[in-house]
Amino acid sequence: MATVVGLLAALCAPGQAVAEPAPPPAAAAPAPVLSLVLDGGSLSLQDALAILDGRPVSAQLAPTARANMITTRAGALKALENQRVYGWNQALGPLKDRPLTPEQAEQFQRNVLRSHAAGVGEPLPDDVVRLVMILKANQMARGKVGVRPEVPQRLLDMVNAGVVPRMPQIGSLGTGDLQPQAAAGLAMIGENAPVRYQGVEGPASELLPKAGLPRDFTLQAGEALPIVSGSTVLAATLLHAVHRATVLADQAEGAFALFMEATRAERGSLDARTHKERHIPEEDAVAARLREMVAGSGWMTEEGRKRLDPANYEPRIQDAVSVRAAPHIMAGLRHELADAHRTLLREANSSTSNPLIFKRDEGPGYEFVMGGNWDGSIMGHLADTINAEIADIGVLSQELSGRLLSPRWSYGLPANLAGGTVGLNSGMVQVQTVAAALVPEMQVRAAPAGTLSRPVKDGQEDHNTMAMASVRHLHENLDRLEIVLAVQYLMAAQGIDLIAQKMAGLPLGAVTQGLHTEIRRYVTPLGDDRYLTPDLEKAIWLVRNGHLRPSVSSA
């Protein structure tokens, strides 16, 4: 129980790391600066992921985007002479029918940011905020929201100088990301909203000048709404979750391969022919990677399966469902991640604000079109679906680690994976309980928030995607999955060590041997019972930092 409580306390404190092993002696060279020229249509996910990985950025608007924005801005101001437009010369939300005079425009921009910056909770990670600002600038560069090029350039200047607004996570209903983006907007115009610069947190009014930027920036008519409107925070936060989930999907496959070695599993479930017959590309790919991980294993052979009890050996025929179906189960997550990549690439290069301005198809000039392009339904439902897949991977991992405790289910491993005298030593039974404790939490958090819409704002916003709740739940379950996979890795490695003498002369697969070696660099095999929390914390650190990500050519 103490083990579970201690780990969950660390889990529930955002950003709190578990005890870290000593880092490798050689420090990695600084990553080169990522130079971006934003035109609104060519930002790649590769660049976005590099930003999430902390790579320094130098970003600017493309000259063509600047010219287009200047032209569109002039057309927007001309269109206001004959059109009532939400957020330009009309108020917002339930007050949308209240007109604004030109003299009120500047004050209205500040008021929009002040009134909408009402979020609370832990701030988004710095690298996610940097990506939000670059996505927002890229979307503005499309020239469909009517702002001056100076507006997105101000956001980019902050990124380039290393100034990061603190954007609270709680408040957005997925009907645009109003609260967190308003917080960034207040920092952008030089008010006292908090920012971080060179490791120091303080008001933007003080830290912007220290970063070499003008303190004040004045927004003109219609320029506050495009800052707060849209699903940019949702897109960046979901991409961060997808990035994390991809690393964990790789490590879930590695943990399964190590489990197969420990239980000397049948190879038939990995046969390329059966997976090809299902016509699911992601399933083919998972099975191919697993075949590569265990290639050359002498443990997963008839000879290997005989070693523990030659006198009573009978052919196994086939393994349990959790083993045979694992490539199918893990392919489900891969399928949804691929869908998310397609969606997020589209989001990064689209106009997601309201209203939008277009050149008239017939006749001269421009016109505003008011719609719902800020809606985050698709991304929210994707987050819910990925979360369901993550929870299922957690269930699978917990089931597999549970099998390792049972001599009958593991085909002869010592009970509880005890390293000394069984009974006198209780082994790893309580390590496995940590995973069992987290799986129900994962299942509860996997309930789809996207089905829980409720009306707000006097009925003007009567359908809300709740997409930010979906993404926050997904991140929480990714935190939990890191621990569940660490349990499986620790127990599979222990299972291998307990029977290694009987398997003498038979090699592990090349990739699985590498995974086992990496674990043993930090955690020694369990002999007689010892204090196990430090072992599990080290395993969690390995998973959280991607150290157990298998290296396979078919990745």
Side-chain angles (χ1 to χ4, degrees):
M1 180 63 71
T3 300
V4 176
V5 171
L7 287 168
L8 291 183
L11 175 66
C12 294
Q16 180 173 328
V18 296
E20 297 186 3
V33 173
L34 176 65
S35 296
L36 296 176
V37 179
L38 304 180
D39 59 10
S42 57
L43 183 63
S44 71
L45 287 190
Q46 181 179 2
D47 288 338
L49 293 174
I51 295 165
L52 288 175
D53 283 336
R55 188 167 168 186
V57 180
S58 175
Q60 60 182 323
L61 293 177
T64 54
R66 283 183 167 274
N68 184 36
M69 293 178 73
I70 291 170
T71 301
T72 304
R73 174 73 180 176
L77 295 176
K78 182 68 174 175
L80 288 178
E81 296 175 4
N82 301 302
Q83 190 177 5
R84 308 307 298 174
V85 181
Y86 181 79
W88 284 70
N89 52 20
Q90 297 286 132
L92 299 178
L95 305 177
K96 61 184 174 57
D97 297 325
R98 302 288 181 92
L100 300 169
T101 67
E103 293 74 25
Q104 293 173 320
E106 185 177 319
Q107 181 63 43
F108 181 68
Q109 310 312 306
R110 289 194 295 271
N111 287 354
V112 167
L113 298 178
R114 290 169 176 170
S115 64
H116 285 61
V120 296
E122 286 293 319
L124 293 167
D126 286 0
D127 290 327
V128 173
V129 174
R130 293 194 311 141
L131 179 57
V132 169
M133 297 169 76
I134 287 171
L135 289 177
K136 178 64 74 175
N138 190 60
Q139 292 170 340
M140 288 180 171
R142 295 184 60 78
K144 294 296 188 291
V145 296
V147 302
R148 295 166 296 145
E150 288 84 354
V151 175
Q153 190 59 57
R154 172 71 166 185
L155 295 173
L156 298 180
D157 289 344
M158 292 172 70
V159 172
N160 296 342
V163 178
V164 181
R166 306 303 273 160
M167 301 175 72
Q169 296 190 29
I170 298 174
S172 170
L173 303 181
T175 308
D177 298 315
L178 305 177
Q179 292 91 336
Q181 291 184 148
L186 280 181
M188 169 189 175
I189 66 174
E191 294 215 354
N192 288 332
V195 299
R196 284 171 56 84
Y197 174 64
Q198 294 186 345
V200 176
E201 182 168 331
S205 58
E206 295 180 9
L207 293 184
L208 285 171
K210 290 184 179 180
L213 299 175
R215 185 193 69 180
D216 298 319
F217 183 85
T218 302
L219 295 172
Q220 298 179 6
E223 291 182 330
L225 185 56
I227 292 172
V228 302
S229 181
S231 46
T232 315
V233 174
L234 174 61
T237 310
L238 178 58
L239 183 59
H240 184 215
V242 167
H243 192 30
R244 293 183 64 197
T246 301
V247 175
L248 289 178
D250 290 346
Q251 292 182 106
E253 292 174 10
F256 177 67
L258 212 60
F259 166 90
M260 294 185 81
E261 296 275 26
T263 58
R264 294 85 61 213
E266 291 280 344
R267 294 175 187 265
S269 62
L270 304 181
D271 193 302
R273 295 168 296 181
T274 186
H275 295 287
K276 185 177 181 181
E277 188 63 20
R278 191 67 184 274
H279 301 101
I280 301 174
E282 293 84 3
E283 182 183 317
D284 287 344
V286 171
R289 288 191 292 270
L290 290 171
R291 288 195 300 273
E292 184 174 347
M293 288 183 217
V294 300
S297 171
W299 291 45
M300 293 172 56
T301 61
E302 287 300 305
E303 173 62 22
R305 285 185 279 275
K306 289 178 182 178
R307 286 289 185 95
L308 296 193
D309 189 6
N312 298 306
Y313 175 73
E314 293 182 357
R316 195 177 300 180
I317 307 302
Q318 66 179 17
D319 283 301
V321 167
S322 61
V323 182
R324 284 180 285 140
H328 307 259
I329 296 166
M330 292 189 282
L333 174 58
R334 297 290 189 174
H335 185 276
E336 297 306 321
L337 293 176
D339 195 12
H341 278 102
R342 290 188 290 269
T343 297
L344 289 166
L345 180 60
R346 181 177 65 225
E347 287 290 322
N349 295 285
S350 298
S351 298
T352 67
S353 185
N354 172 56
L356 300 178
I357 184 165
F358 300 95
K359 196 169 185 178
R360 292 182 182 275
D361 292 334
E362 297 181 3
Y366 288 74
E367 65 177 335
F368 286 92
V369 177
M370 281 154 275
N373 263 21
W374 33 255
D375 185 86
S377 296
I378 290 177
M379 287 187 287
H381 292 310
L382 267 173
D384 285 335
T385 305
I386 293 170
N387 201 1
E389 296 287 354
I390 287 294
D392 199 26
I393 296 295
V395 171
L396 175 66
S397 177
Q398 187 271 330
E399 289 168 343
L400 295 172
S401 61
R403 296 191 70 83
L404 293 169
L405 292 175
S406 165
R408 182 165 64 91
W409 282 14
S410 66
Y411 297 96
L413 293 179
N416 289 4
L417 296 179
T421 302
V422 179
L424 177 63
N425 290 285
S426 297
M428 288 193 164
V429 64
Q430 294 302 326
V431 172
Q432 202 278 332
T433 300
V434 171
L438 288 175
V439 164
E441 294 187 13
M442 295 183 72
Q443 292 167 320
V444 169
R445 275 292 187 265
T451 63
L452 302 176
S453 172
R454 59 206 63 235
V456 297
K457 301 179 185 177
D458 202 24
Q460 179 62 19
E461 294 179 5
D462 56 349
H463 185 86
N464 293 283
T465 71
M466 303 298 173
M468 279 300 292
S470 297
V471 177
R472 288 175 55 240
H473 291 170
L474 172 55
H475 274 286
E476 290 172 10
N477 270 351
L478 291 169
D479 292 341
R480 294 181 175 95
L481 184 60
E482 289 172 346
I483 298 174
V484 172
L485 290 177
V487 168
Q488 186 183 347
Y489 266 116
L490 200 60
M491 295 179 66
Q494 174 73 0
I496 287 170
D497 288 318
L498 289 177
I499 61 173
Q501 287 188 349
K502 292 185 177 180
M503 306 297 285
L506 299 179
L508 296 171
V511 176
T512 46
Q513 178 63 67
L515 292 172
H516 182 268
T517 299
E518 181 67 7
I519 294 170
R520 290 301 174 229
R521 286 181 61 204
Y522 298 94
V523 185
T524 58
L526 178 64
D528 288 336
D529 287 346
R530 64 172 181 251
Y531 180 32
L532 287 174
T533 294
D535 290 1
L536 187 47
E537 287 183 333
K538 290 174 185 176
I540 295 166
W541 182 87
L542 289 169
V543 172
R544 185 164 294 161
N545 291 277
H547 283 256
L548 299 177
R549 199 174 188 182
S551 177
V552 291
S553 61
S554 54

